[in-house]
Every structure is written in C-alpha cells, then in structure tokens.
Amino acid sequence: MPDKMKWLADLGFVNLGNVYWNLPTTALFEEAIRTKEGLTAHLGPLVVRTGQYTGRSPQDKFLVEEPSSQDKIWWGGGNQGFSSEGYERLRSRVLAYFQGRDIFIQSLYAGADERYRTPIRVISASAWHAMFARNMFIRELDQAKLESFSPEYTLIHAPAYRAIPELDGTRSEVFVILHFGRKEILIGGTSYAGEIKKSVFTMMNYVLPLKNVLSMHCSANYGKDKNDVALFFGLSGTGKTTLSIESRRTLVGDDEHGWSEDGIFNIEGGCYAKVIRISREQEPEIYESTRKFGTILENVTIDRQTRRLDLNDDSLTENTRAAFPISHLENADRSGIAGHPRVIFFLTADAFGVLPPLARLTPEQAIYYFLLGYTAKVAGTERGVKEPQATFSTCFGAPFMVHSPTVYANMLGDRIRRHQAEIWLINTGWTGGGYGEGKRIHLPYTRAMVDSVNEGRLTDVEFDEDPVFGLRVPRQVPEVPPEVLRPRETWKDPGAYDRKAAELAESFAAAFRTFESQVPKEVRAAGPRLLTTK
C-alpha cells in the first residue's frame, strides 16, 4: 500500500471509491461539472449553491475538551465544549459515511511565512469544496515536496452528512468541531464553504500566539514599498476586502494575517469576497474576478440559458461570495509577506448612525476598541440574520478567537507601541440616522479618508474631540464634505442623535465590563463618557 493510502487507512478511511490526490484546479472543475455540483458561467467561473445554509453556523461550532488545550482555551466567550467521547463517536459515523464514496484530497499550507506556516490536508467528499480549499489556502507547487508532504492538521469535510443531535451530541444537523489534541477538524451538515476557511483560521488563532505571532482578522496592503503597510480589521461586511483591494496599492491578503517579529504575512492564498451588487465602476478588481476561470461563485444568480450572472440578485442570500486565488488580482503580492504596519484601521458598520466615519485613536483607545469589537452583523453572514444588528465581537473576530481576548490585545498593544503604528477608526455604516432611516456612508468618501491617512495628508489638520466617545475627529479630509465627518450634523433631529449616542455609549460600557479587571486603568478610561440625555 502506498504511504499516502496507508496514511488514509491509519486515519480510519477504508473501502473508499476513487481517491483523487491534489488534483489541479482544471481537473477539480471537470469533476464538479461531471457530477453536476455546479454550472459554468460566462467566461468560466463555477457557480454553486450551498442549499439552506448560506452563511456560517456559529452555534454549531465546538472545541473538543481535551488535556493538551483545555487550559489554553477561552471558555468564557463563544467557545463551546464538546466531549472527547462524543467526538470519537461522531467521527466514526462520518468515516462510515465516506465508505464507497469518491474523495478529494488537497495538501496545502496555512501561513505564507515558512517559519510559522501549518501544513494542512483537506479531505472532502465534494470536488468543488476541494477546489475552494485549493483557492483559499497556499499551494505547494514543488512536486517533490508535495510527494513528501506531511500534514500537521487534517480537515475532514462531509457536507452532505447530516448529524443526528440525539445520537451525535450536536445542536443540529450541522457541526464544525476542532480537536487540538488530534490536530483535526471535522465539518458536516452544511455546504457553505466559509466553514472550511474559518475553521482553519480558528486553528491558526490557537497555534500562532503560542509561537509569539499575533493572529489577526484583517486585510492588508502596502503602498510605495513593503514597509508602507496598512491593516484593516473588521468583521465580514465591514469593508476589509473592498478597501484593501485597490489599484494604487499592493494587496498582501484580504482577510487573515499573522504579525511576527519580522512583519506581517498572509495566512491564506486566496480571497473570499462578498459580491452582492458590486460593480465594475466601484470595485473593478473584485468584479473582474467574477469573470475568470477558477473562481467559485457561491449562491450568485445565473441565467441557465445564457450563463450570464446577475450580481444584483439577492433572492438566495445577501451573502453571495466569490472565492478565487490571489493570483486573479493583478496588483497582489504573491509572496504574502510584508513589513510592520505603519497604519491600522478598525472598521465598524455602525447600525445606529452615531460614530464618526473617521477618527484617530490613542494606543489606549485602540486596545479598548479592539477588545470591544463593535460593529453590526450583516445580513446573510450568519444564519437567522436578516438585517444589520448591533453586536460586540472582541478582537473583531470573537467566533474565531481561541485564547483569551487579552492575549491578542496585549500582543497588539505591544506591537503598536514598538512600531509606532497609527490607529484609525473607520465607520462604514450609517449616517443621517440609523438603519432604516439614514443611509450607508458613501463608499467614495470612505476611500478618500483611507487614502488621506495612507498618504499622510492628515498630519497637520486640526481635530475636534467627540464629546461622548472622546474620539479625535479631523475637521477636514480632502474630497469629503465637512458635515459628513460630524455625524450629528447629518441628522434631521440633533436631539435624537444625542439620545442615540448616549444609548450606544451605555452599551459600550456594558459590553466592556467583561474586560475591566483585566486591563490597565488607562484603557478603562479610554471608553465613552456616560452622559444622561433626556
């Protein structure tokens, strides 16, 4: 038996159908079409449907309670425990499901920096999901190294296997379970490919800090050289991909990065961009990715006769996605490695229309807002979310953080101070009122603000201090109307703004109480001033 097949047998995979090892994208595409997993769109992208699950299922994600990781996991947050015994039972049932089936295996890396990368092997019953993994993670192009590839983590993916909660100990038919002792990830019951991407990111959020590397839910690009780096933190839908992919700067990565003693590196090798209602005019690079062979389009509407796409159609979900290798972008750094950040943006989609669209943060405010992670859940990115909802997601990625949030915050604070990075808060949400009354901040204005910061044009401008949140707001930004910078002036009723601002400040204070005993007094004092407004 070849070594690779022995490896499979040792995992428990027996009586399999065809086993496809490291097929290239073209062959995976052919298999997906042959087995009717998707349709070919005009110019070659693969269009697929994910069924009833068009977003992540965070309540169905678990971490196995086992000795090697038990004391390192932040059980006080959203991390749910799963028993070792229950995992073994479910795992054996999943392996039984694979008997007689064809499987697709991809040997890949998470992490562009060879010193900190994790070799992973993805085993899926679906050709298009194997193609997704090949798009999203870093490929090994050296055939000799591929033959001797030894994975550290294995991801077992059975999208069509439905768990039985009464037998399997799950909450529903969906399960995403990480076992750090076994170095294994088990996914089933959902075809939404984002679960593959984010479970690997969760794994890296466990692994990297143990190597003194800060793992970050952010995009990154650079300007004139690799030391002119900007980071964009934020949850899905806040604009990380949109703002970091632009023609005048070079993209390092669109969603997940590590920050080591030598600089930053991309954790992934691809992009997973929201494409609902994008246009060639406003987001040309992402738009062009929807017209290229090798791209996978999730839940995008296609005319079955003409094979043309309708990117404006949200009848299946608001969370339509394009998954493509970073090489699809002309202005991307394929090495995935750059220097230390000069500028860091915290992106938030304020559903109340209260926060300014741009504000400069002190290092203490940076830690406060990083731990707070205020934004709005965007429709479609999670099951059950039909419209934006105010939420607090610590480190701008609570569902993916394994260690205590203060572990990541302390590492970020240390790096900010040592490398003297500028920190800016960007609100890509609403202005002139909250959701349903105001309107989304004009994207060209946000781009102008980001450009002005990156190009150093706000160094000498005057700032006003927000009376409630204590944020320093620039009085002027080139190409942005001054009133846009002061949200109170965009509301028809300033008194209504004051009441909503006080209400939001109270919710900030309530959400931050979890961390008050774990941070210095300077960070505690960096929050909003609680005012009584009648």
Side-chain angles (χ1 to χ4, degrees), residues 189-209:
T190 173
S191 291
Y192 180 64
E195 299 287 17
I196 297 174
K197 168 189 166 70
K198 289 305 186 185
S199 63
V200 171
F201 182 46
T202 302
M203 176 269 290
M204 292 297 278
N205 277 315
Y206 175 73
V207 170
L208 288 179

Side-chain angles (χ1 to χ4, degrees), residues 221-236:
N221 64 23
Y222 61 81
K224 57 184 181 296
D225 57 48
K226 287 196 174 189
N227 292 314
D228 181 23
V229 174
L231 301 183
F232 300 80
F233 282 87
L235 292 179
S236 296

